[in-house]
Amino acid sequence: MIEATGLSKVYGSKTAVEGVSFTVKAGQVTGFLGPNGAGKSTTMRMIMGLDRPTSGTVTVNGLHYADHKAPLHEVGALLDAKAVHISRSAYNHLRAMAATHNIPTSRVHEVIEMTGLEAVARKKAGGFSLGMGQRLGIANALLGDPQTLILDEPVNGLDPEGVLWVRNLVRYLAGQGKTVFLSSHLMSEMAQTADHLIVIGRGKIIADAPVQDIIAGTRQVKTLVRTSAATQLSALLSGDGVTVDQGQPETLEVTGLDARKIAQVALDNRVLVYELTPQQSSLEDAYFDLTKDEVEYHSHLTGGPAGEFAPETAPATAGK
Amino acid sequence: MTTMTETQTSRVRSTAGTKGVTFAGVLRSEWIKLFSLMSTRILLLLTLVAIIGVGALAVLIRFSFLDEMARQARDQGQTLTPEMMSQTFPPGSGFDLYNLPNAGLQIGILVLGSLAVLFISSEYATGMIRSTMNAVPRRTPAFVAKAILLAVISYVITTIAAVATFLIAMPVFQGLGLDLDWSTDGVLYSVFTGGLYVAGVALIGLSLGALLRNSAGGITVLVGLFFVLSIAASFMTFIPGDFWKYVPQYLPSDAGGRFLSIGHTDGVIDPWQGGLIFLGYVLLFLVPAMIVLKKRDV
């Protein structure tokens, strides 16, 4: 379990993280989502004690990371795939890291096998591709068989097979009751991997809720309507809280009314409708809605139940 | 809190070990780091060869000088006694035979000092330092382990080279009839203190690497401190007045040099004083480096 309370980090005149509080629970995959420069990496570095918080505290399993007797058994972290000496082999790098905690060499071989690095383990890490570097970073994180896993952009540079592997691995580890905290700017990846999401924007938490709630709650349902009388139907549907976008000829995008009501209006007015498709709101849409203006949504989203997530006045053209 | 930590630890699979961070483990980790780089192994071997090589060269130069003197004396129908040869080296002139074991010391300072800078600055350059600090989040043990390792390696290499140099020198000068063996005044002292000086320089190098986090900058400052500063200060002696003549001996390199000589010489600090001043310089760099390392973001 990771607990951050009022965590802030100021670099000179730039505030990277501002009064962030959150809890990452064991037994599930928690995604840490945010645009570049939002403060994801800084927050993770503060968890690992690499950066000293300007104010606030963060603990892992009840203690500051540095206060644990066996830090690598508590937390395994991949913060930066390039945190390796370029002239040292992957095997020797892992062996040196393992030595600090008296982790046997057999475990080094184990993680090399787990991450599929056998073929390149004796080669210099400086020559590794981005994907290989990521695998080495993940091997390093798994070395101490930690209770908590922190991965900063783990699928960066991985091939599709590697992406799938990471997804299965973190799901498996969470299933084992471990805490998994993983950051990404890839929303599709998060939608498939994470159970819970913490969204950060410009150093502040703008959402902290289960993935499904964020997808369902942020955006009103949009329905695609194809009709022979687009202009007429558009006028009929328009009203309070309903917005209609007319894109291509004979095509409408209706927000604020569900498919059943649209069909009813069309039937009542004898308008021909030849397609009526509810659009599944994606995490991507939700994400853009959230990060568009973090201050506006801040009070609605933090800690509130799912139903309260929908903003009262969602601009219709958002997320296009 | 304690019970929580215990349950956490007990959940760890046995294959990954359960001992946690120990200083011996950190020391072994730094050992693996140092010797798993091909460049370090080659550098250490070449340093050993270079120190002995320069020592052998010094032996050769002094031998040729004495041999030439003896030949000239023979040509003039005289015999040059060992006593007369000894007198050609006035005390404190730096030409004493007792400090021959340390003739190649400057090479050791340059290479081992630079290696010490690189041992930590290369971790900053490659990002390795973040992995190190992750594994040893208290940070100080990692730095202390590096310091111990460098000091011991520098001492061992320098001492081996000093013994080897003396083993080359001894038969050469004994052949001239000079009294030079292990019992000669100052020989054992030289053999066993040269390494201390180089170890101290290595510690200053490590500290510079940690303070500046930059390889080129660290090595430049180190060379400036131990080579350029001493040369620059020697010009001070041209300044009128006695005061300036006594300043250079307090520089790190000169104080270290005094520490390696024996006996009292008027007008300069005694060896033990030189040693203490040099130790002061080591701490002057080491302590701030440890404080900064502990506090700074990586």
Side-chain angles (χ1 to χ4, degrees):
Chain A
M1 188 158 81
I2 304 167
E3 286 171 291
T5 318
L7 207 56
S8 293
K9 181 68 187 179
V10 180
Y11 295 108
S13 60
K14 190 183 173 291
T15 303
V17 176
E18 198 176 344
V20 159
S21 299
F22 60 84
T23 302
V24 180
K25 293 191 197 77
Q28 62 180 20
V29 177
T30 303
F32 198 27
L33 194 59
N36 293 333
K40 299 187 297 287
S41 298
T42 304
T43 304
M44 288 182 158
R45 277 204 304 271
M46 284 193 282
I47 298 171
M48 299 306 290
L50 293 178
D51 280 12
R52 188 176 290 262
T54 309
S55 65
T57 56
V58 58
T59 60
V60 186
N61 301 330
L63 287 176
H64 289 292
Y65 178 67
D67 292 337
H68 282 291
K69 280 202 186 101
L72 286 188
H73 294 321
E74 289 301 332
V75 189
L78 161 73
L79 295 188
D80 178 0
K82 291 284 161 200
V84 179
H85 197 297
I86 47 170
S87 307
R88 195 173 287 125
S89 72
Y91 170 70
N92 280 325
H93 171 75
L94 292 170
R95 217 159 53 90
M97 291 298 104
T100 59
H101 282 56
N102 303 285
I103 296 168
T105 312
S106 57
R107 177 66 185 169
V108 172
H109 290 291
E110 230 172 84
V111 295
I112 286 174
E113 203 181 312
M114 278 171 80
T115 50
L117 285 172
E118 297 101 323
V120 293
R122 304 279 175 167
K123 297 209 169 98
K124 285 182 179 179
F128 278 20
S129 66
L130 185 56
M132 282 299 170
Q134 286 288 13
R135 283 168 186 271
L136 176 56
I138 293 168
N140 195 32
L142 295 173
L143 200 57
D145 192 20
Q147 188 53 39
T148 301
L149 206 61
I150 296 178
L151 306 172
D152 195 4
E153 305 275 2
V155 299
N156 235 3
L158 286 182
D159 50 24
E161 186 263 329
V163 172
L164 188 66
W165 171 72
V166 169
R167 194 184 300 153
N168 291 336
L169 177 77
V170 297
R171 298 241 37 101
Y172 168 77
L173 291 172
Q176 301 277 298
K178 294 177 190 275
T179 310
V180 180
F181 191 38
L182 117 147
S183 86
S184 181
H185 60 267
L186 299 171
M187 290 142 290
S188 52
E189 185 51 40
M190 280 297 188
Q192 295 181 71
T193 311
D195 303 300
H196 193 96
L197 272 189
I198 296 173
V199 184
I200 188 168
R202 269 189 260 163
K204 287 177 182 161
I205 302 286
I206 51 182
D208 185 348
V211 173
Q212 289 316 311
D213 291 0
I214 289 187
I215 293 173
T218 310
R219 165 167 278 254
Q220 287 166 297
V221 178
K222 192 156 77 178
T223 309
L224 182 80
V225 184
R226 288 189 204 277
T227 169
S228 57
T231 318
Q232 189 195 347
L233 188 61
S234 174
L236 289 165
L237 292 173
S238 291
D240 201 27
V242 181
T243 42
V244 182
D245 272 358
Q246 196 164 356
Q248 296 154 348
E250 307 208 331
T251 306
L252 300 174
E253 276 184 3
V254 184
T255 315
L257 274 180
D258 63 16
R260 191 187 174 88
K261 287 197 182 110
I262 296 169
Q264 189 64 54
V265 171
L267 179 64
D268 292 348
N269 295 281
R270 300 189 56 77
V271 170
L272 174 70
V273 170
Y274 58 90
E275 187 184 340
L276 193 59
T277 316
Q279 303 283 287
Q280 185 63 48
S281 180
S282 67
L283 182 59
E284 197 155 329
D285 293 328
Y287 172 76
F288 280 125
D289 268 2
L290 283 168
T291 52
K292 180 167 47 65
D293 185 351
E294 56 271 62
V295 181
E296 185 188 344
Y297 295 95
H298 189 256
S299 54
H300 292 286
L301 292 169
T302 36
E308 291 173 23
F309 274 50
E312 270 124 28
T313 51
T317 49
K320 286 293 287 182
Chain B
M1 209 68 94
T2 320
T3 51
M4 186 171 185
T5 313
E6 275 164 11
T7 51
Q8 300 294 357
T9 311
S10 65
R11 255 186 272 163
V12 171
R13 247 195 346 230
S14 59
T15 52
T18 50
K19 279 192 203 158
V21 180
T22 59
F23 187 70
V26 177
L27 207 54
R28 204 169 71 248
S29 169
E30 294 299 335
W31 175 275
I32 293 169
K33 279 192 212 168
L34 193 63
F35 287 100
S36 59
L37 296 178
M38 177 75 89
S39 54
T40 313
R41 296 199 297 267
I42 293 172
L43 200 68
L44 289 178
L45 192 69
L46 287 181
T47 310
L48 189 66
V49 172
I51 299 177
I52 299 171
V54 171
L57 208 61
V59 170
L60 184 69
I61 290 165
R62 286 176 215 198
F63 171 77
S64 316
F65 177 70
L66 289 176
D67 196 45
E68 178 68 17
M69 276 210 317
R71 204 176 51 79
Q72 281 178 1
R74 249 197 326 276
D75 288 352
Q76 290 164 13
Q78 298 166 326
T79 44
L80 194 65
T81 63
E83 288 72 32
M84 290 160 75
M85 285 188 200
S86 299
Q87 278 160 13
T88 62
F89 305 129
S93 67
F95 279 99
D96 309 270
L97 292 179
Y98 77 86
N99 60 19
L100 267 176
N102 290 331
L105 212 62
Q106 296 296 324
I107 298 287
I109 290 170
L110 189 63
V111 182
L112 292 169
S114 303
L115 180 75
V117 173
L118 285 170
F119 194 28
I120 194 156
S121 65
S122 71
E123 288 206 11
Y124 280 103
T126 59
M128 177 70 200
I129 192 77
R130 286 189 288 279
S131 294
T132 303
M133 297 313 191
N134 259 354
V136 191
R138 287 187 187 280
R139 301 183 182 186
T140 314
F143 185 78
V144 173
K146 280 183 195 296
I148 291 175
L149 204 56
L150 284 172
V152 170
I153 287 170
S154 301
Y155 186 81
V156 169
I157 286 185
T158 311
T159 307
I160 290 173
V163 169
T165 307
F166 192 70
L167 287 177
I168 294 168
M170 202 161 56
V172 170
F173 292 101
Q174 281 172 346
L176 285 173
L178 281 167
D179 181 27
L180 182 70
D181 60 32
W182 293 107
S183 63
T184 303
D185 205 19
V187 165
L188 281 178
Y189 180 82
S190 283
V191 166
F192 289 109
T193 51
L196 288 179
Y197 177 48
V198 178
V201 175
L203 291 180
I204 291 177
L206 178 71
S207 306
L208 286 171
L211 286 166
L212 301 174
R213 294 181 288 185
N214 179 296
S215 306
I219 293 172
T220 305
V221 173
L222 189 80
V223 169
L225 211 55
F226 283 93
F227 293 92
V228 181
L229 205 60
S230 180
I231 295 166
S234 64
F235 290 110
M236 277 187 190
T237 53
F238 295 119
I239 300 170
D242 276 348
F243 176 78
W244 295 103
K245 289 182 178 53
Y246 299 114
V247 174
Q249 60 177 327
Y250 295 103
L251 292 173
S253 52
D254 294 51
R258 269 310 289 161
F259 169 59
L260 298 181
S261 41
I262 55 163
H264 174 81
T265 309
D266 282 333
V268 290
I269 50 176
D270 281 344
W272 68 271
Q273 290 169 320
L276 278 183
I277 291 168
F278 182 68
L279 183 67
Y281 278 114
V282 172
L283 294 175
L284 191 69
F285 286 94
L286 205 57
V287 173
M290 281 175 77
I291 293 170
V292 163
L293 185 92
K294 177 102 181 158
K295 302 218 158 165
R296 201 152 51 184
D297 291 347
V298 289

